[in-house]
């Protein structure tokens, strides 16, 4: 029973695993990478990088809590932006490799 993986669908969870490290609700700082969609809901090139705001006044407002950034450029530039936002800014450096792995999967998905 205990060997099975438990998953979750919360936003800000990079691996969708039910654990404190990857939780988008339990942690103060979260990083999320999602598919980029247009108004009709169709998947388009790129991804959406969402980071929980660093400003205290925005953390109390659920609508403005996450800073979302649409990244549409080529693979290397998007990877550089993700690296700069997580690793270089000292914001959840432990999730840098996981975020880049998720971007790799999303870019391969959107190209096909």
């Amino acid at each position: 029973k205990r060997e099975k993986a438990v998953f979750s669908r919360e936003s800000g969870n990079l691996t969708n695993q039910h654990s404190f490290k990857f939780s988008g609700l339990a942690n103060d700082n979260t990083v999320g990478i999602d598919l980029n969609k247009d108004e009709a809901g169709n998947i388009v090139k790129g991804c959406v990088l969402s980071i929980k705001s660093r400003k205290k006044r925005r953390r109390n407002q659920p609508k403005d809590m996450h800073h979302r950034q649409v990244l549409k450029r080529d693979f290397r530039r998007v990877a550089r932006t993700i690296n700069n936002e997580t690793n270089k800014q000292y914001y959840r450096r432990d999730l840098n490799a996981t975020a880049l792995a998720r971007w790799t999967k999303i870019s391969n998905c959107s190209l096909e």
Side-chain angles (χ1 to χ4, degrees):
K1 270 187 164 180
R2 295 179 188 249
E3 295 175 8
K4 295 181 182 177
V6 179
F7 296 103
S8 68
R9 290 196 47 174
E10 63 195 29
S11 64
N13 191 336
L14 289 173
T15 59
N16 294 333
Q17 292 179 357
H18 181 69
S19 69
F20 180 78
K21 178 181 180 179
F22 299 113
S23 177
L25 300 173
N27 286 309
D28 289 335
N29 298 333
T30 61
V31 177
I33 297 178
D34 297 316
L35 293 168
N36 188 15
K37 296 182 181 179
D38 59 2
E39 294 83 20
N42 300 324
I43 297 172
V44 294
K45 182 182 177 185
C47 70
V48 178
L49 174 67
S50 62
I51 294 177
K52 202 176 266 192
S53 179
R54 293 179 175 103
K55 297 180 181 177
K56 295 250 181 195
R57 63 181 171 89
R58 288 191 170 208
R59 289 194 180 217
N60 294 332
Q61 301 170 350
K63 182 181 121 185
D64 298 329
M65 187 184 308
H66 292 282
H67 173 71
R68 290 177 180 85
Q69 187 176 5
V70 178
L71 306 172
K72 295 182 181 179
R73 303 201 65 179
D74 61 299
F75 181 84
R76 288 186 310 118
R77 291 186 185 185
V78 172
R80 186 185 319 148
T81 303
I82 293 170
N83 190 26
N84 287 342
E85 290 290 327
T86 57
N87 202 11
K88 303 274 173 122
Q89 303 254 346
Y90 301 106
Y91 188 87
R92 292 302 304 261
R93 295 174 81 181
D94 57 331
L95 296 181
N96 185 33
T98 309
L100 291 174
R102 184 163 174 115
W103 162 237
T104 303
K105 295 289 185 181
I106 287 175
S107 68
N108 290 339
C109 168
S110 62
L111 289 177
E112 295 174 359

